Amino acid sequence: MRGHGHLRVLTVVLALLGVQLASLVAPAYACGCGAMVTDPDRRIAVGREVSAVRWDGRQEQIVMRLTVTGNAGRAAWIMPVPHRATVRLGDPALFDQLAAASAPAHRARYHFWPRQGDWPFDSGDGVGAAPPGAAGGGGVGVVGRQRLGPFDVARLTATDPDALAGWLHSHGFTLPDRLDRALKPYVERRWEYVAIRLTPRDGSGPTALNGTLDPLHLTFAADAPVYPMRLSRLARSPQSLSLFVLAAHRMEPATTIGGNPWRVGFAGRLTTASGPLAELSRGAPYLTVVDQEFPLPARISGDHSLRRTATDTPYREVVYADRLREVAGVPAWLLTTGGGAALAVAAASLYAVRRSRRPAPPPPPVPAPPPIG
């Protein structure tokens, strides 16, 4: 019986390990910005996604930069957009400027008594495939095609999700059935699509797609700011989203769309005078940084609609560095306690000196003995 019990435990452990390994090697069918697909026998994952969204009341711009890992030599990415989009390469320096503008403030926070790491408790360590064709069919229209660095970009319209999937497949994109079904809500709303294939530069790129890709900059008309997220529900692993939202006022997502509550990392008006951030923020000077986690992507219920908050209250995260309070390089607690001890010793010494100098009192008189009689 004991042997059978051990066998059952071992079977359960192996099953759990299998589930974990499957989640690690499964293809990443979606990321926060759209759908990333590759060949069935290859895998690709978006390790990090950073996007800037700019909205001026009439037009929306999305600049995104993806960091990918895996063993795929080619991949395709589908991005749904509500209106016809123009596409160009983005400036990588934009994200450096955004990170600098929203960086936490660093402040010192002093404490009096020593803690772990302070003296005397310190440790002593010192302080591709063929490019897309130019003609479509079966409910699909090609409204533009261009080569941008490592990207082969086709801009499409579609009224039939099956026709869209067929067109993409005939031009080198292999889509999972689940993604085909997930596109239907966009087709019903008559959205358009940006279909992008990652291709090596000049045909001499790496055999596998790894690292940070060049940013892509999309521009399209929008009555209200939206960030496409619906396709991310197909992802096999938890998703993270970081949005830098530029608008006239502080912004926030209207709902959580099935993810954890979002966290505001920064909110405030920009004063950048030059560079790509100055250009992107012109007319939309208020920056809001939103971070959100999606532990269960299948619960994602739609796209992120962004709205203005009730007030433009600024916010900047503060990172405190705890430091021991010192006076002229000497811990204040040591001066205080040492000074108190020295004062006590001095007082005791003075008392002893004064006591030694005080004249000794005369002995009490001895009465005379009574007469003998």
Side-chain angles (χ1 to χ4, degrees):
M1 295 296 292
R2 179 176 300 179
H4 289 296
H6 288 170
L7 180 60
R8 284 196 297 269
V9 172
L10 179 60
T11 301
V12 171
V13 171
L14 291 176
L16 292 174
L17 287 175
V19 170
Q20 294 294 327
L21 289 174
S23 67
L24 290 176
V25 301
Y29 289 143
C31 63
C33 58
M36 183 80 74
V37 297
T38 187
D39 296 328
D41 59 340
R42 297 290 178 176
R43 62 181 177 87
I44 189 170
V46 179
R48 178 172 172 77
E49 172 197 348
V50 181
S51 295
V53 176
R54 178 197 185 270
W55 184 66
D56 61 7
R58 297 174 302 172
Q59 188 182 74
E60 180 173 345
Q61 300 180 48
I62 298 178
V63 187
M64 63 200 66
R65 183 172 64 178
L66 306 179
T67 300
V68 299
T69 58
N71 60 5
R74 64 175 193 143
W77 166 57
I78 312 301
M79 177 73 168
V81 289
H83 296 283
R84 186 155 302 175
T86 61
V87 187
R88 60 185 173 92
L89 287 179
D91 191 334
L94 170 67
F95 296 97
D96 296 332
Q97 288 189 298
L98 285 169
S102 59
H106 292 268
R107 299 176 184 173
R109 182 168 53 190
Y110 293 92
H111 52 271
F112 182 80
W113 294 109
R115 301 176 181 176
Q116 186 67 32
D118 297 328
W119 185 88
F121 305 121
D122 57 354
S123 60
D125 294 333
V127 191
V140 177
V142 182
V143 297
R145 179 192 162 206
Q146 60 194 128
R147 180 65 182 260
L148 298 173
F151 306 114
D152 218 332
V153 180
R155 290 175 290 131
L156 314 173
T157 62
T159 57
D160 180 353
D162 295 329
L164 173 62
W167 188 94
L168 294 173
H169 178 77
S170 66
H171 292 86
F173 297 94
T174 302
L175 297 181
D177 292 338
R178 293 197 313 152
L179 181 56
D180 183 13
R181 294 191 298 270
L183 290 171
K184 289 184 178 180
Y186 294 115
V187 173
E188 294 171 355
R189 294 157 63 186
R190 308 188 73 84
W191 280 36
E192 298 191 0
Y193 310 89
V194 177
I196 298 172
R197 181 163 46 200
L198 310 179
T199 56
R201 293 180 183 274
D202 302 324
S204 59
T207 57
L209 289 166
N210 279 287
T212 300
L213 306 179
D214 291 341
L216 279 175
H217 190 144
L218 283 71
T219 303
F220 50 89
D223 298 328
V226 61
Y227 190 75
M229 285 289 298
R230 188 185 301 272
L231 298 184
S232 293
R233 65 181 306 169
L234 303 181
R236 304 296 180 90
S237 59
Q239 301 286 285
S240 298
L241 178 66
S242 294
L243 284 181
F244 294 84
V245 184
L246 290 161
H249 302 278
R250 178 170 170 170
M251 305 292 285
E252 67 179 2
T255 66
T256 61
I257 64 168
N260 290 344
W262 63 83
R263 185 183 69 86
V264 176
F266 175 86
R269 296 193 176 276
L270 297 176
T271 58
T272 307
S274 62
L277 181 55
E279 178 183 352
L280 190 65
S281 62
R282 189 174 297 114
Y286 203 102
L287 173 64
T288 311
V289 181
V290 178
D291 297 304
Q292 189 180 15
E293 301 294 328
F294 297 88
L296 299 173
R299 294 183 177 177
I300 295 177
S301 58
D303 301 318
H304 256 320
S305 296
L306 303 172
R307 65 187 180 188
R308 178 182 175 182
T309 58
T311 62
D312 289 343
T313 305
Y315 170 78
R316 184 184 293 272
E317 184 179 359
V318 177
V319 177
Y320 289 98
D322 291 316
R323 298 177 182 175
L324 182 64
R325 189 172 297 279
E326 298 179 341
V327 178
V330 180
W333 69 268
L334 185 60
L335 291 175
T336 303
T337 56
L343 183 60
V345 171
S349 300
L350 180 61
Y351 176 77
V353 169
R354 290 181 175 180
R355 185 176 179 84
S356 65
R357 292 179 178 178
R358 185 182 303 169
V366 178
I372 297 175

